[in-house]
Amino acid sequence: MDISTLSNFTMQLKILAIVKHIWQMGPGSDLTVAARGHGHSLQGQSQAHGGIVINMKSLQGLKMQFHIGNLPYVDVSGGELWINILREGLKHGLAPKSWTDYLHLTVGGTLSNAGISGQAFRHGPQISNVHQLEVVTGKGEVVTCSEKQNSDLFHGVLGGLGQFGIITRARISLEPAPEMVKWIRVLYTDFATFTRDQEELTSGESTFDYVEGFVIINRTGLLNNWRSSFNPQDPVQARKFKSDGRTLFCLELAKYFNRDETAVVNREIHSSLSQLNHIPSTLFVSEVPYIEFLDRVHISEIKLRSKGLWEVPHPWLNLLVPRSKIQTFAQQVFGNILTDTSNGPILIYPVNKSKWDNRTSVVTPDEDVFYLVAFLSSAVPSSTGNDGLDHILIQNKRILEFCEIARLGVKQYLPHYSTQGEWKAHFGSRWEVFVRRKSSYDPLAILAPGQRIFQKAVPYSQ
Ligand SMILES: Cc1cc2nc3c(=O)[nH]c(=O)nc-3n(C[C@H](O)[C@H](O)[C@H](O)COP(=O)(O)OP(=O)(O)OC[C@H]3O[C@@H](n4cnc5c(N)ncnc54)[C@H](O)[C@@H]3O)c2cc1C
């Protein structure tokens, strides 16, 4: 059932009425409800087989309310796209602090996971930048929650994979938006040197506002240039460097600034870059408006769509790898399991656990610093009709098996499992809290069945 045609205010009440009605039907009914944000999760997580799927974007029209002051914030609907918050915020000179690489995702969809990008080392993930939520629980109740009010539900819903309630509104922390971004890339051939520089840049007071990185193995093809909006100002330098088939590690940095600060910012960047150990001839610098930098993946999406390369299977694998194990991980995965990166980019960058709140539902490794490693593969049909999907899935499996056998303490981000046993292992010591929250806020397991954690009418196992 698609109820997206209803008007916005009615939508909010309808969400409440639907969940309440199913709750009142009791365990005898097998109806379930999935909130569908932008539907960009990859394994049917926003689906409800034989149940009700609520198109959360129908709530988008609810007016965003900006509060301007010392600690600015915006109240938005759970179905709002981050790109719209950026566009509206810029009219007030404000923007959220923490992003995802792609902004055509909903607030409810990313807050149900974490929302990680190159700003996370400084601000934490998006779930660390939310003041308040309005949630419809699985018992058909509307609850406002925050650090101070109904805090167990607040923390549970953040990173909670949609299990405890449907986010209908969120209050997001803002900061002054810069006008421009210096977008910088430098290359390394040595992984240890690359990660040392990344860790240095993400610890303490960093000059940069964004730190990411990616791996390049025998690189060919358009899919690797999905951020091809990057347009270095120094093509002469770019031409000078030849990779000779080596595995390369690209450090990607951004510095925000306003036009009247250009001279100071250039000096700061020059000084910070001089302390890095990249290959000197591989400094690529681009200067773009802030919105263009943040919306960079969408620019690539348009290019890929025009070539029929966007609507293809994306067997992505996202891992959180403890810092102490990242060298072992890289040696085996980049040096052995993967022989090229022509299926799509592999992102890799460190984040600091001190910026994450361990009361939320998201599961991270047990170390102060851990890496997000994102294998963003696309299975593209070739002239033989083979899209390579099986090959990518086998590679993903091999990576996961290696992590398991080598006991790396890796956790999946945007996790996907088929059995409750696997979920239990994923949550580890946090499983009990997750189950307790489920029985408090959605005891009939009505919500987000597509995550395949709990089944309606099947008792939870501790
Ligand atoms: C091109 C691309 C780039 C990406 N880059 C990043 C990145 O840089 N960093 C990152 O962290 N992630 C990234 N992601 C992953 C993305 O954050 C998740 O897949 C997210 O869930 C997608 O949001 P959505 O609005 O499409 O949610 P959906 O796929 O619609 O929903 C995801 C889950 O959340 C639940 N849900 C949706 N809305 C609500 C709500 N209002 N209340 C409660 N539950 C809800 C759904 O039921 C489902 O279980 C990327 C995805 C894509 C496609």
Side-chain angles (χ1 to χ4, degrees):
M1 186 196 302
D2 183 351
I3 57 168
S4 62
T5 48
L6 297 164
S7 75
N8 297 316
F9 181 62
T10 326
M11 265 296 293
Q12 242 177 343
L13 292 178
K14 282 282 171 186
I15 292 174
L16 179 60
I18 288 168
V19 180
K20 200 172 200 159
H21 181 69
I22 298 177
W23 162 247
Q24 284 167 349
M25 286 166 84
S29 150
D30 58 5
L31 264 186
T32 53
V33 178
R36 181 186 188 277
H38 209 28
H40 273 322
S41 43
L42 298 164
Q43 309 275 355
Q45 285 94 332
S46 56
Q47 293 300 306
H49 184 68
I52 296 167
V53 175
I54 301 177
N55 180 355
M56 294 303 293
K57 285 193 294 167
S58 319
L59 285 171
Q60 258 177 34
L62 283 180
K63 214 169 154 26
M64 289 182 222
Q65 287 178 345
F66 285 86
H67 297 258
I68 297 157
N70 282 348
L71 298 170
Y73 62 83
V74 61
D75 287 329
V76 295
S77 112
E80 196 59 75
L81 293 177
W82 287 97
I83 180 67
N84 294 339
I85 303 177
L86 175 61
R87 288 194 186 120
E88 279 304 302
L90 289 178
K91 294 179 190 164
H92 302 268
L94 294 169
K97 300 169 181 171
S98 186
W99 296 97
T100 46
D101 292 348
Y102 178 62
L103 308 187
H104 298 246
L105 305 168
T106 64
V107 167
T110 69
L111 296 185
S112 297
N113 287 291
I116 314 174
S117 185
Q119 301 83 6
F121 79 92
R122 173 168 296 158
H123 296 293
Q126 290 179 321
I127 54 169
S128 297
N129 293 277
V130 180
H131 295 315
Q132 193 186 76
L133 297 171
E134 180 191 87
V135 170
V136 174
T137 69
K139 292 171 73 172
E141 297 163 337
V142 183
V143 182
T144 301
C145 56
S146 66
E147 262 306 317
K148 298 219 166 91
Q149 191 185 3
N150 301 307
S151 61
D152 185 60
L153 178 62
F154 179 68
H155 293 122
V157 167
L158 295 171
L161 305 171
Q163 295 305 302
F164 312 119
I166 297 179
I167 301 167
T168 47
R169 264 186 103 69
R171 178 165 291 177
I172 315 274
S173 177
L174 302 174
E175 66 180 2
E179 291 168 357
M180 299 294 293
V181 174
K182 289 266 183 197
W183 188 1
I184 297 160
R185 287 179 178 176
V186 290
L187 295 176
Y188 296 73
T189 47
D190 180 49
F191 185 72
T193 312
F194 164 71
T195 48
R196 207 176 314 120
D197 277 358
Q198 275 192 324
E199 285 174 23
E200 188 59 39
L201 287 165
T202 51
S203 62
E205 279 301 301
S206 177
T207 304
F208 295 100
D209 297 289
Y210 160 104
V211 178
E212 287 201 8
F214 52 94
V215 185
I216 306 161
I217 313 171
N218 278 333
R219 177 170 156 156
T220 50
L222 176 72
L223 282 172
N224 281 301
N225 292 325
W226 77 323
R227 286 137 180 238
S228 48
S229 45
F230 181 79
N231 183 17
Q233 276 172 346
D234 191 349
V236 179
Q237 287 233 354
R239 263 185 266 128
K240 263 199 261 170
F241 181 73
K242 297 247 182 315
S243 74
D244 297 329
R246 281 173 295 180
T247 295
L248 297 174
F249 306 99
C250 179
L251 174 63
E252 183 171 66
L253 305 167
K255 172 77 182 164
Y256 303 161
F257 69 104
N258 291 327
R259 285 190 185 86
D260 59 1
E261 304 160 334
T262 308
V264 180
V265 162
N266 281 343
R267 273 199 301 278
E268 271 178 33
I269 292 177
H270 181 75
S271 157
S272 293
L273 290 177
S274 69
Q275 287 161 43
L276 299 182
N277 301 294
H278 56 91
I279 305 163
S281 66
T282 63
L283 169 62
F284 308 125
V285 184
S286 182
E287 197 174 298
V288 291
Y290 180 57
I291 189 165
E292 200 176 301
F293 171 71
L294 288 180
D295 204 24
R296 60 200 178 277
V297 176
H298 181 59
I299 296 169
S300 304
E301 172 186 357
I302 293 167
K303 285 186 193 162
L304 290 172
R305 274 191 190 282
S306 71
K307 295 184 158 51
L309 295 173
W310 183 260
E311 299 282 350
V312 297
H314 289 97
W316 287 3
L317 177 66
N318 287 272
L319 301 175
L320 302 175
V321 182
R323 173 185 177 272
S324 67
K325 299 294 186 325
I326 196 69
Q327 307 296 325
T328 314
F329 178 89
Q331 216 167 27
Q332 178 67 5
V333 176
F334 307 141
N336 196 350
I337 297 178
L338 297 180
T339 50
D340 63 59
T341 45
S342 51
N343 291 320
I346 302 174
L347 307 187
I348 178 163
Y349 55 92
V351 292
N352 302 315
K353 195 155 175 155
S354 63
K355 305 285 181 188
W356 296 58
D357 188 329
N358 64 9
R359 292 167 298 178
T360 65
S361 292
V362 71
V363 181
T364 59
D366 285 333
E367 281 189 20
D368 292 344
V369 173
F370 53 88
Y371 279 76
L372 173 71
V373 187
F375 300 88
L376 306 178
S377 308
S378 299
V380 177
S382 68
S383 51
T384 60
N386 182 352
D387 61 9
L389 180 59
D390 288 345
H391 171 69
I392 299 169
L393 290 173
I394 288 168
Q395 267 181 346
N396 288 352
K397 196 160 165 261
R398 284 185 64 200
I399 294 168
L400 288 171
E401 278 169 3
F402 165 68
C403 294
E404 188 70 31
I405 291 164
R407 295 177 177 271
L408 299 188
V410 165
K411 292 291 176 189
Q412 275 194 43
Y413 175 56
L414 309 171
H416 166 64
Y417 298 105
S418 316
T419 67
Q420 203 175 71
E422 289 171 323
W423 279 110
K424 230 169 143 172
H426 170 76
F427 282 101
S429 60
R430 323 244 333 244
W431 176 244
E432 253 175 59
V433 174
F434 202 77
V435 170
R436 191 217 4 106
R437 284 175 170 161
K438 188 71 175 174
S439 43
S440 299
Y441 306 115
D442 181 26
L444 294 182
I446 290 167
L447 302 175
Q451 297 279 1
R452 300 201 219 164
I453 307 174
F454 302 103
Q455 240 180 304
K456 207 170 171 195
V458 175
Y460 319 136
S461 73
Q462 295 281 343

